[in-house]
Amino acid sequence: MKSLSLWLFLIFLYLSTNKNVISATHYNEIPRLSPMLQKGILAKDNPIKESSLNIPQGFQKYYYEQTLDHFNYNPESYTTFRQKYYINTTFWGGAKSNSQIFVYLGAELELDSQLLSVTFPIENAPRFNAMLVYIEHRYYGESIPSGSYGMNFGYFSSAQAIADFAEVLIHVKENFSARYSPIIVFGVSYGGMLAAWFRLKYPHVALGALASSAPILYFNNVTAQDAYYSIVTKDFKEASESCYQTIRTSWGEIDKVALEPNGRAILGQKFNSCSGFIYPDVLKSTLKYAYAYAAQYNAPPGYPVTRMCEAIDGKPKGTDILDRIAAGLKFYYAYFYGLQGCLNVKGFTDSERLSSVVRGAGGWNWQMCSEMVFPFGITEENSMFPKAPFNLTAREEYCENLYHVPPRPDWASTYYGGKDIKLVLRRFASNIIFSNGLSDPYSGGGVVEDLSDSLLAVTTTKGSHGLDLYPANKKSDPEWLVMQRNTELHIINGWIKTYYADLIEITK
């Protein structure tokens, strides 16, 4: 049986045993930040099995005995856990040449799938004679501190994570006698946030950073809550005015049908529910997620937003609104997951979220309940979604019920900065590329204009989430995407040339 599980905000797939069942489980209406697996990389029988993923040739797996708590001197802080990382020296020029090191900083997903989906450093390592290092984020994949999962989440933070990365990289440089090899860090999405923050906090370790689709400004009192959904709306409206209007009207129609005597059964029939009925709130959550996901990954050559609208608009004249919406949802599942059949929509209980079968789901849920408190909301009149202002009180209650701790919505901007970022960073920070595709809803919380001569925004009008760091395709990549990647490489090359000139001068 094949079933699709969207618990991880649809970054990778579950397959179970029935080809005719599509199972959608949500506990958030916004896709997670993780880099998206490429089509065809599937997980069988529940979670992704790393043994089923073919790691690219030349990569060797290592484990580092990582410090549990970098910021405390209590005895427990000295506990260690095994943190996984990969190294590939195939293209490296060697320590004597001081050849650079390209480092991918793992995001909120097990590492092996990221190694397969984020290939920009790998594809360009030969050109730079670079060593490749990919490091897994603590509490994801195999890099789990000992003890009951979920019981020691107090050591689970971005600050601890980038301190981990610093320890691993200093260790790698010592092992390879690569003291003067400059490091460039790369990250996508949440990993892009980590890459930018790593350069700010550890400039002695990393020469520069490429932060792709990194919403480092999407925090309380820094970015407007409507930023994400306003871009989703813009993407659909630009694709088709009639599609936008149909979606905008559909929410009220769902509520209207639901109030009829057999309303849930009628909705179930229209959307081909496996159970024969659908709760209206769950249906609306499913649709909201599907539109957001299509916009977030509205990548060439398919441009799923356009094609989803074609499915909605393409029904015969006079077709019922919800039948049109159902056609769009059917396309969505077929396009992204290759799945067709009846729709099995359900939700997670709080206990299921905490003791998630796949630890990555519980991990990101924790991060959303601690410091990654993005204020996503909908207040704009012209949105294609119903109004739903961000409710911090509801988030606090949810997190306290689940983890017994309240979120800290202002901590990330306090620790890393964010307010008045252009004024603040221009005089001390350097060597960060902030790349964004402006059709990506997360770009609403990203840096989309230059902050200084070396804090540079590289944007594309049509680009989607993390697209520049995904595998290049010479046959289908549009010219603007090729130019974006070349611009990034040109900037990085300039950093490295300047570094080598400084090295020669200082070590004469």
Side-chain angles (χ1 to χ4, degrees):
M1 166 169 26
K2 286 185 182 178
S3 72
L4 172 66
S5 178
L6 302 182
W7 57 262
L8 73 159
F9 307 95
L10 297 198
I11 302 304
F12 60 82
L13 306 178
Y14 280 170
L15 294 181
S16 76
T17 62
N18 188 337
K19 291 183 179 179
N20 299 314
V21 177
I22 300 172
S23 173
T25 54
H26 307 271
Y27 51 86
N28 193 282
E29 293 170 342
I30 293 178
R32 209 167 84 189
L33 280 160
S34 257
M36 183 178 69
L37 286 174
Q38 303 303 301
K39 266 187 179 179
I41 303 173
L42 304 178
K44 296 182 178 180
D45 303 323
N46 295 327
I48 281 185
K49 289 187 171 68
E50 297 182 4
S51 60
S52 69
L53 302 177
N54 295 318
I55 301 305
Q57 188 174 2
F59 281 90
Q60 298 294 320
K61 184 190 298 187
Y62 296 88
Y63 292 92
Y64 178 74
E65 285 298 318
Q66 187 59 263
T67 306
L68 177 64
D69 183 3
H70 299 283
F71 307 109
N72 202 304
Y73 294 93
N74 286 328
E76 183 184 12
S77 299
Y78 292 86
T79 303
T80 62
F81 66 95
R82 297 208 317 164
Q83 183 170 19
K84 186 173 72 175
Y85 64 102
Y86 284 97
I87 292 179
N88 185 336
T89 59
T90 303
F91 312 107
W92 192 44
K96 291 184 179 180
S97 66
N98 298 317
S99 291
Q100 49 271 0
I101 302 172
F102 283 177
V103 179
Y104 173 76
L105 304 182
E108 75 286 18
L109 191 64
E110 55 81 30
L111 185 61
D112 291 44
S113 57
Q114 297 175 73
L115 185 61
L116 295 170
S117 59
V118 183
T119 60
F120 182 85
I122 301 171
E123 292 167 353
N124 292 287
R127 169 179 171 178
F128 287 85
N129 297 323
M131 178 194 298
L132 291 160
V133 182
Y134 276 58
I135 312 174
E136 190 165 69
H137 192 296
R138 63 166 54 197
Y139 288 89
Y140 292 105
E142 294 184 50
S143 303
I144 309 293
S146 61
S148 177
Y149 185 77
M151 299 306 292
N152 57 358
F153 273 2
Y155 303 106
F156 189 176
S157 69
S158 60
Q160 296 281 7
I162 62 175
D164 290 343
F165 297 148
E167 272 207 26
V168 171
L169 292 176
I170 291 171
H171 170 75
V172 168
K173 291 188 78 171
E174 288 177 351
N175 273 9
F176 285 86
S177 302
R179 177 181 178 184
Y180 293 115
S181 290
I183 289 175
I184 306 296
V185 294
F186 300 80
V188 179
S189 206
Y190 167 59
M193 299 168 76
L194 297 177
W197 292 336
F198 189 86
R199 168 62 184 165
L200 293 176
K201 294 293 186 180
Y202 297 94
H204 57 290
V205 180
L207 172 66
L210 199 172
S212 176
S213 297
I216 63 167
L217 303 179
Y218 217 134
F219 291 103
N220 190 40
N221 297 321
V222 179
T223 293
Q225 62 177 275
D226 282 288
Y228 185 96
Y229 282 115
S230 66
I231 295 177
V232 178
T233 295
K234 176 182 70 70
D235 290 348
F236 276 84
K237 192 171 185 179
E238 289 177 351
S240 167
E241 177 72 26
S242 61
C243 175
Y244 154 77
Q245 292 293 351
T246 299
I247 294 171
R248 193 177 183 191
T249 306
S250 68
W251 311 106
E253 189 66 19
I254 291 171
D255 290 335
K256 178 182 175 182
V257 171
L259 291 174
E260 296 181 14
N262 296 315
R264 288 181 294 175
I266 295 171
L267 292 175
Q269 182 180 19
K270 286 183 177 295
F271 288 87
N272 194 22
S273 170
C274 300
S275 64
F277 68 91
I278 297 179
Y279 289 99
D281 288 346
V282 176
L283 175 59
K284 287 191 285 187
S285 177
T286 300
L287 289 167
K288 193 175 180 182
Y289 187 98
Y291 300 138
Y293 193 82
Q296 187 167 313
Y297 295 105
N298 190 33
Y303 292 112
V305 168
T306 298
R307 294 182 61 187
M308 196 172 183
C309 278
E310 287 173 352
I312 291 172
D313 291 339
K315 301 294 286 184
K317 187 176 181 180
T319 300
D320 177 80
I321 287 177
L322 294 189
D323 288 335
R324 292 181 182 277
I325 296 298
L329 188 62
K330 181 179 179 180
F331 164 79
Y332 164 78
Y333 283 116
Y335 179 83
F336 281 108
Y337 315 109
L339 298 175
Q340 297 180 356
C342 63
L343 179 65
N344 181 24
V345 186
K346 62 178 182 177
F348 273 129
T349 65
D350 284 353
S351 62
E352 286 173 327
R353 295 182 195 187
L354 183 57
S355 59
S356 175
V357 173
V358 180
R359 290 175 170 177
W364 183 244
N365 201 53
W366 160 262
Q367 291 193 266
M368 290 170 58
C369 273
S370 53
E371 60 181 345
M372 296 294 124
V373 187
F374 303 128
F376 295 120
I378 303 167
T379 63
E380 293 179 345
E381 293 294 334
N382 65 345
S383 175
M384 73 179 196
F385 300 97
K387 285 191 176 181
F390 176 67
N391 189 331
L392 180 58
T393 300
R395 175 73 66 85
E396 289 172 342
E397 291 176 356
Y398 165 79
C399 295
E400 289 190 7
N401 287 336
L402 189 58
Y403 298 109
H404 308 296
V405 295
R408 300 174 66 183
D410 297 307
W411 176 243
S413 55
T414 298
Y415 187 68
Y416 298 110
K419 298 177 182 178
D420 301 315
I421 190 171
K422 189 169 186 176
L423 177 64
V424 172
L425 293 189
R426 66 189 306 171
R427 294 302 178 193
F428 88 91
S430 63
N431 292 7
I432 303 175
I433 299 169
F434 298 98
S435 66
N436 281 281
L438 299 182
S439 73
D440 171 22
Y442 276 113
S443 69
V447 176
V448 295
E449 62 175 23
D450 294 348
L451 304 181
S452 71
D453 291 341
S454 65
L455 298 173
L456 303 172
V458 179
T459 63
T460 59
T461 302
K462 294 184 178 181
S464 59
H465 196 65
L467 183 61
D468 53 329
L469 265 60
Y470 292 153
N473 188 324
K474 293 182 179 180
K475 294 182 179 179
S476 63
D477 285 345
E479 184 178 355
W480 54 261
L481 177 56
V482 175
M483 290 179 62
Q484 179 186 19
R485 289 171 174 152
N486 287 338
T487 298
E488 293 164 0
L489 293 170
H490 176 74
I491 294 168
I492 291 170
N493 190 50
W495 296 343
I496 293 170
K497 283 185 175 180
T498 300
Y499 170 81
Y500 285 146
D502 291 344
L503 180 64
I504 291 171
E505 182 178 346
I506 291 170
T507 57
K508 281 181 181 178

